[in-house]
Amino acid sequence: MDCSEGFAGWPPEQTVFPVAGLDLKVLPGRHPLHLSDEAAIRENWAKETAANPALFDGEMIFQKRLALSEKGISGEAHVIPFSCFMWWRRQADRRGGIHLFAYPVIATNDGALVAIRMGAHTANPGQVYFAAGSLEPMDVADGRCDVEANMRREVLEETGLDLRDATVGDSYYASRVRRTVTVLRLFRFDLSADEIVEKIHAHMLVAEDDEIAGPVVIRSADHSAQPYNIAMLPVIDWYFAENGVA
């Protein structure tokens, strides 16, 4: 089921569904979107950085096509500059590419989830979501994205938590909205929410940057409780339905 133009055959938007596996190739050369809209991308980036000078035009992995089958999600991607992604996400139809990123869902031994609030100088200021970031070239091994490595790196950088200390969920899940696909996996720590929050606050004192404004404890699927990133909503619905909390 190729979704280079659409998501025919995929589960509906904003629902969480199991995924058998991941096979995400990274191809050489430039992404077609970057080639076709380079001038518009440069113009938009000038506006973005004028409004937020802290933005950095690093590199990230951006999908050219994705497919869903009984084997899981497979894809072909290229490395693009962050400025290309920022232009793409402002387009109404978001055609020409697909953003796939990974959510490590951090659960505690007292039934809560722990997310983070993004700092004021970031691309998503004030939004609440799990410690995560786009796939980057450093997450590529032998021409394929290593999603587990991406999740470990992002969580360690942002929170100081080591996902290797958690019990890992048996499988991947995914959800999608507006041509963004979120791949998620559950990581359950044998710590309370308060203990994890304490660890994150301690990490923030020594972290090299202030990308996050602080940890957020989530104890229900109430969509209005926090300024959630839209990708969070199906995930908290799924987690608390599975764990018997409305």
Side-chain angles (χ1 to χ4, degrees):
M1 304 168 191
D2 194 316
C3 70
S4 54
E5 293 301 329
F7 284 85
W10 286 57
E13 285 199 353
Q14 293 189 275
T15 59
V16 173
F17 56 93
V19 174
L22 302 169
D23 183 18
L24 304 171
K25 298 178 183 177
V26 180
L27 305 178
R30 295 171 69 190
H31 195 290
L33 182 72
H34 189 206
L35 288 169
S36 64
D37 294 283
E38 191 167 8
I41 291 165
R42 285 199 302 269
E43 181 180 352
N44 181 70
W45 186 244
K47 296 176 182 177
E48 299 278 3
T49 52
N52 185 356
L55 293 176
F56 173 67
D57 200 11
E59 292 184 323
M60 58 177 282
I61 308 300
F62 193 61
Q63 305 298 316
K64 180 168 63 177
R65 62 176 57 91
L66 288 178
L68 177 66
S69 71
E70 66 279 358
K71 295 181 180 180
I73 295 176
S74 59
E76 293 181 348
H78 293 271
V79 177
I80 64 166
F82 183 62
S83 54
C84 181
F85 169 73
M86 291 291 283
W87 176 84
W88 169 85
R89 79 173 193 169
R90 289 193 179 276
Q91 307 312 302
D93 60 5
R94 291 188 169 182
R95 293 288 168 175
I98 305 147
H99 184 215
L100 181 147
F101 71 101
Y103 259 173
V105 181
I106 295 177
T108 69
N109 64 10
D110 53 353
L113 299 176
V114 178
I116 52 93
R117 191 184 313 277
M118 293 304 294
H121 66 286
T122 63
N124 295 309
Q127 290 191 17
V128 171
Y129 49 85
F130 296 113
S134 295
L135 293 162
E136 298 181 10
M138 69 178 70
D139 301 317
V140 178
D142 298 324
R144 283 174 164 78
C145 294
D146 186 341
V147 172
E148 293 284 335
N150 168 266
M151 289 191 289
R152 287 195 302 271
R153 176 176 59 79
E154 291 288 349
V155 170
L156 191 63
E157 288 177 359
E158 294 184 8
T159 71
L161 298 171
D162 191 336
L163 291 181
R164 288 173 292 193
D165 295 334
T167 300
V168 184
D170 292 337
S171 62
Y172 289 108
Y173 292 83
S175 66
R176 66 182 181 91
V177 62
R178 295 196 64 210
R179 297 184 67 79
T180 293
V181 174
T182 307
V183 173
L184 51 129
R185 197 163 199 177
L186 187 64
F187 293 85
R188 192 177 298 278
F189 283 83
D190 189 20
L191 296 168
S192 69
D194 288 346
E195 288 171 325
I196 287 184
V197 164
E198 184 178 351
K199 284 181 172 291
I200 294 174
H201 280 306
H203 174 73
M204 291 174 65
L205 295 174
V206 298
E208 293 183 0
D209 58 43
D210 55 351
E211 186 173 1
I212 74 169
V216 176
V217 176
I218 305 170
R219 296 192 183 275
S220 80
D222 179 4
H223 289 190
S224 65
Q226 298 289 343
Y228 290 118
N229 179 278
I230 191 172
M232 283 289 288
L233 303 181
V235 180
I236 61 175
D237 286 345
W238 163 78
Y239 175 81
F240 288 108
E242 291 283 317
N243 289 273
V245 180

